[in-house]
Amino acid sequence: MPLDDDLITRATQAFDPLGELNERNVEALYTQRPDSPARRAARRIQRLQTPSRFVLVGARGAGKTSELAALAHNLKRSHLVIFIDLAPLLPARSDTFALLTVLALVLDAHLHSWLTAHGAVTRQAQPPQEPSAQLLSRIGYLVEQGGKLAQSLAATLKLIPGDAAESGAVLQLVGQAAQSAGPLVSTLLASRDAEERSPTKQQDDRRALMESINRYLDQLQATTPDKKPPVLLLDGLDRRPDLESLELAFKDLDLFTSLQTSFVLTGPIPLRHLPAYRRVAQDLPLEVLHNLQVYDPSHPGVCDPAAFQVFDAIYRARCKSAALPEDLIPPDLLQRAALYSSGIVRDFLRFITEALFEADLAGSDAITHEHMDAALKRQRHDLQARLNDARIQLLMAVLQRRTLPDNREADDLLMENFIVCYANGDAWFRPHELIAAYIQTFEAGAKTPL
Amino acid sequence: MTVILRDLDALERLLERRLKRTPQRATLATLLLPAALQPALLERLERLLPQPGAALLLPFDGSPEAVARLHDLNVQRSVLLQQRRLILFLVGNPRDLRDLRTHTPDLLASPDLTLELHPRPDDRPWNDVDRDLRALMRRLYSHLDLNPLLPPGFSLPLIPWEELEALEPRRAAVLRAARAAPPAPLHLLIPEAPLRALQRERATPRLAAVVTWLEAQGIEGAHALHDPQGAFTLELEDDNDTLLTAEIWPELAHAPGATDPRAIERVKRFLDIPMRPPAQGLLSPAALRGLLQPLLRRLPLEQPAALLTLLLTGSGASCLLDSPNHLIAALLIFWIEERVPQSTRDVEVRLLLWQEARQQAAQR
C-alpha cells in the first residue's frame, strides 16, 4: 500500500529545505550544535559590559538564519532584540554607507513604532519622519524621499510577540515589510551622489550618520520600560547576488566598529578573504558556522558519528513537531543524506524531501535506498550541469590540496557550495560530497575533462 | 531535482503533484523548454493555477534587463515563497540555465524542480530530435573519456559510410547527421562478428526463433517485438513517459537467461529505467532481466563493443549510444555493477572501482 497521502504532505512540509526558523518555531525546531555560535554569542553579549559584535559567516544553507533566530530567542528577555533582514531592503549595488543609512531610518522608525505602541508618544505629537529627515538632508539625500520611506517603515514594522513587557520582544523588519520598503530605499539611495561630495564632506557625513544611529539606539534603550540594551541582528548580507555586491556592502566595514551597541552581521564564507574585512578583523571578529563535519578523511564513505548525531537530532525534532513516525526514513538512509549533504543542513533536508517525492511518485509503501539514490543522483546531475572545464580543474586542485585557491572563481564556487569548508582538525576545503567522487575521476594521470 | 520530460502533459502532472505536497509555500522551479511551447505552457498553468498571481513566470534570456530583474528577485526569496504558489523560471537553452543560477545564487540555491522539456521525438523531424539529443548527451556525458579502457589491440573496423548506410538503412539519417556534424567526432562502432552476422542474416531474420526463446524465458508482450533490419527491437513506454528502445542482436538472444533480481535492480537504478508492474506492462522486469542478464554475464572487458544498443530517451540518466564513448560507458557500468559487492551501495566506492577498472585497462 502506498505511503499515506497526508503523511507525505506533512513530512514534505516538516523537512522543507526552504523553511526558515522564526520566533514561532525556533523552540521546537532549533537543534544546538556542539560549537553553536548562537550559544557563544548569547553568553558574550549577556556577560560582557562592553558592546559585543561579530560577523557570523557560514556556507549558504548551513543555518546562519537559524542561529540568528536562536540568538534572538535567547536574548529577548535581557535585550531589546532588533532583527532586520537587509536582503530585500537593500538594492544590489549598495555600499556600507547606504546600508547604515537604511539602518538609521529603520531604527528611527522602530523608535517611534515602539513609543507609539507603548503610549509614550503619539504620531501627532511627534511626526516620526522628522529626526531622520534632518539627518538625511545633512548627509546629502533628498528629504522628500526619506520622509516617504520613514512613513512606510513606521507603518510596516512588526513587534513579535505583541506583549513586550511579559515575554520580551523581538523587533522585526523581515519578509513582506522589508520587501515593501525596498523600492523606496532604492529611490532614496539614488538621490545621493557621493562623488559630488568632497572627501571632507564625506567624512562629516559618516560621522553624522554614526552619531545619529548611536543616538537612536540610546533613545530606544531609554524609552523602553525595562531599559533593556538593544542588540542588532542584521541578516541577509550573505544573499548579495555576487562578490562585487558583497565587497561594496562591506567596503567601509570600519563604520560598523563605531556602533555603540552589540550587533551580529551575517556574511558568506568568502568575506574573510576580502581586504576590507581584513582591515577590521580585530575589532569585528568572525564567528564561523562550519559545515557539520560529516567527512572524515580517515573514514571516507562513512558519516562522522558526532556530526550524524546533530543531523539525527534535527530529523527527530521535525518528526516530533509534525507528529511523524521516527522510522519514516531508515537510519542508514539518514546517514547517506547526512554524508552527501557535506554538512549543510539545507542539503540534508533537500535529500529527505526529494527521497519522499521519489517514493511518492513511485507509489511506494516505504522510503528505500532506491528513492534516496535517485534523489542524490538528481541533485548530483544538477551540480554537474553547472560545471565546466575550468571549474572542474579548480575543484581537482581543491580535492588534492585541501586548500582554497586564491582567485575569484574559487570564491564563487565557495559561495555556490561547490566547495565546502570543514573544520575537523584544521580548517580545510573539499568539493561538495555529491561531486567529490566525480571530481576524483579527473585526478592526476587521467585525461583532462573534455 | 532534475527531471527530463517528454511533453506538457507530463509537466502538468509533475507540477500538480509537487504543488500538492508544498501547500505552505511556492514551488520553486526552472524549466528549459523550446520557445515555441511557451504559449501552450501558459495555457496549462492557467488551468493548473487559476487564481490570479498564483504563478510567477520569469523568462530569462540573458539580457541586461533580465539579469537586473534576477538580482532584485534574488533577495526576495522568503516573500516570493509566501506570496505565490509557483515560481517558474523559463529558459530556452542550457547556457541560459547556468547563467540563471549564477544570477540568483540565493533564490535558486536549492530549487524544488529543475525541469527540461524535450518534446516527444515522434512529434518532430528526426534531424531535430537527433540534434537535440546529441546536445543533451554531450552536456550530460561529454566528460566521459573511456578510451583507456579499450584493450590493447582493439581496433575499429573501418567501414565506409556508404556501406554502413546500406547496412543500417534505419539509421541512415543518423549517419548522415554524424558525418555532417562539425567537428564530426562520431564513429559507429560495429565489431566484426555481428557485422558479419548482420551481413549474413539480413535476408533471413530469425524473429520467430527469438520470439519463441523469449516466451520460454517468461517474457510477456513478445508481440511488441518487430524486426527491423537484422536486429530485434523492443519498445516500452512507462507511466513517466520514458521510452526505452532496446535493440538486441540475434546472437545474444540465444544466451541462457539467468534470474538474479538484484542485477536488474542495479541496472534499473543506474539507468533510471522506471518499470511498470508486470501486470500492466508490455515487458515485465523479469523479461528485461532475461534480456540483460546474459549480457551481464557474457560482457567481457575485452569486447567493449557489445551487441546491445540502448537508446534511452526521456530520463535524466539517459544515454544515447551513438558514439564509442557512450556505448563503452554504458557497458562499463554493467561490467562494474556485475562485479561490485552487493552490499556496496555507495556511489563513491562504485566510482573508485570504475577508476580502478580504467587503470587496469590502461596497464594492459
Side-chain angles (χ1 to χ4, degrees), chain B residues 33-247:
Chain B
L33 89 167
L37 286 178
Q38 285 199 13
L41 171 72
L42 288 177
E43 277 179 30
R44 299 293 182 117
L45 291 179
E46 278 173 17
R47 196 165 66 200
L48 193 62
L49 292 165
Q51 312 90 324
L56 177 62
L57 251 66
L58 298 159
F60 177 71
D61 57 7
S63 65
E65 298 76 27
V67 169
R69 189 174 186 204
L70 289 186
H71 283 176
D72 287 342
L73 290 169
N74 181 55
V75 294
Q76 299 173 13
R77 188 186 70 207
S78 58
V79 177
L80 288 173
L81 291 177
Q82 282 168 23
Q83 286 177 338
R84 310 283 182 159
R85 289 290 295 122
L86 173 68
I87 301 165
L88 186 59
F89 291 88
L90 297 177
V91 292
N93 59 65
R95 175 183 290 275
D96 283 347
L97 181 61
R98 273 197 297 275
D99 289 350
L100 172 69
R101 304 276 296 251
T102 305
H103 294 300
T104 51
D106 186 64
L107 185 58
L108 288 180
S110 185
D112 296 308
L113 293 167
T114 305
L115 305 169
E116 298 186 14
L117 200 155
H118 301 279
R120 188 179 294 281
D122 301 356
D123 301 340
R124 304 167 60 213
W126 167 249
N127 283 344
D128 290 356
V129 174
D130 181 51
R131 186 197 59 225
D132 291 352
L133 284 173
R134 281 167 201 280
L136 175 68
M137 292 308 127
R138 282 196 194 100
R139 188 156 58 81
L140 290 176
Y141 293 110
S142 61
H143 60 275
L144 292 175
D145 178 5
L146 299 164
N147 289 325
L149 282 171
L150 292 174
F154 179 83
S155 63
L156 299 179
L158 291 175
I159 305 168
W161 284 104
E162 292 71 20
E163 189 177 332
L164 274 179
E165 286 188 15
L167 287 169
E168 290 268 35
R170 286 189 320 117
R171 291 181 172 240
V174 181
L175 295 170
R176 277 195 293 274
R179 293 171 69 182
L186 299 176
H187 308 278
L188 196 66
L189 202 63
I190 298 193
E192 287 185 12
L195 179 67
R196 282 197 299 275
L198 178 66
Q199 289 166 326
R200 191 174 59 246
E201 295 178 3
R202 250 180 88 199
T204 55
R206 296 181 297 181
L207 178 61
V210 173
V211 168
T212 305
W213 178 81
L214 288 171
E215 285 171 353
Q217 300 297 315
I219 295 173
E220 304 160 26
H223 59 274
L225 292 167
H226 60 276
D227 176 29
Q229 309 293 320
F232 302 93
T233 301
L234 287 164
E235 289 186 338
L236 63 144
E237 195 171 347
D238 80 336
D239 293 340
N240 293 325
D241 297 308
T242 297
L243 180 70
L244 167 67
T245 308
E247 292 181 9

Side-chain angles (χ1 to χ4, degrees), chain B residues 283-298:
Chain B
L283 188 68
S284 69
L288 194 57
R289 179 174 68 245
L291 292 170
L292 294 182
Q293 188 64 25
L295 177 69
L296 292 174
R297 294 195 161 229
R298 292 175 54 187

Side-chain angles (χ1 to χ4, degrees), chain A residues 5-6 8-9 12-13 16-20 60 85 87-88 90-93 175-176 179 238-242 295 300-301 336 339-340 346-347 350 353-354 357-358 360-361 369-370 373-375 377-382 384-387 391-392 416 430 433 436-438 440-443 446-450, chain B residues 1-4 14 17-18 20-26 28 71-72 74-83 97-98 101-114 116 139-145 147-148 240 265 268-272 316-317 325 345-352 355 358-359:
Chain A
D5 203 52
D6 174 59
I8 294 183
T9 304
T12 306
Q13 291 181 53
D16 185 1
L18 299 181
E20 287 184 351
R60 208 181 285 280
D85 184 3
L90 283 174
R93 305 290 169 189
Q176 180 61 53
Q179 190 188 322
D238 53 331
R239 274 172 265 159
R240 299 281 85 190
D242 48 42
Y295 185 85
R336 276 174 66 72
L339 175 64
Y340 284 100
R346 186 187 291 163
D347 286 1
R350 171 61 72 194
T353 52
E354 294 311 319
F357 195 58
E358 293 286 345
D360 185 21
L361 287 176
H369 272 285
E370 190 177 359
D373 282 352
K377 186 174 183 177
R378 289 185 191 282
Q379 298 294 319
R380 188 170 64 250
H381 283 172
D382 219 24
Q384 286 170 342
R386 293 156 63 196
L387 293 176
R391 286 185 152 200
I392 289 175
E416 295 175 41
R430 179 173 162 85
E433 282 312 306
Y438 166 70
Q440 207 157 16
T441 61
F442 295 116
E443 74 181 357
K447 297 265 183 170
T448 51
L450 295 175
Chain B
M1 65 181 200
T2 305
V3 183
I4 297 178
L14 189 68
R17 179 73 72 105
R18 192 78 196 204
K20 180 181 165 193
R21 296 299 177 213
T22 52
Q24 80 281 14
R25 63 162 171 87
L28 195 53
H71 283 176
D72 287 342
N74 181 55
V75 294
Q76 299 173 13
R77 188 186 70 207
S78 58
V79 177
L80 288 173
L81 291 177
Q82 282 168 23
Q83 286 177 338
L97 181 61
R98 273 197 297 275
R101 304 276 296 251
T102 305
H103 294 300
T104 51
D106 186 64
L107 185 58
L108 288 180
S110 185
D112 296 308
L113 293 167
T114 305
E116 298 186 14
R139 188 156 58 81
L140 290 176
Y141 293 110
S142 61
H143 60 275
L144 292 175
D145 178 5
N147 289 325
N240 293 325
E265 281 304 307
K268 210 174 93 175
R269 203 166 62 243
F270 247 105
L271 295 185
D272 266 0
N325 275 358
R345 309 193 67 103
D346 187 75
V347 174
E348 187 169 8
V349 174
R350 287 204 294 259
L351 282 168
L352 286 174
Q355 194 181 2
R358 293 179 62 168
Q359 285 167 354

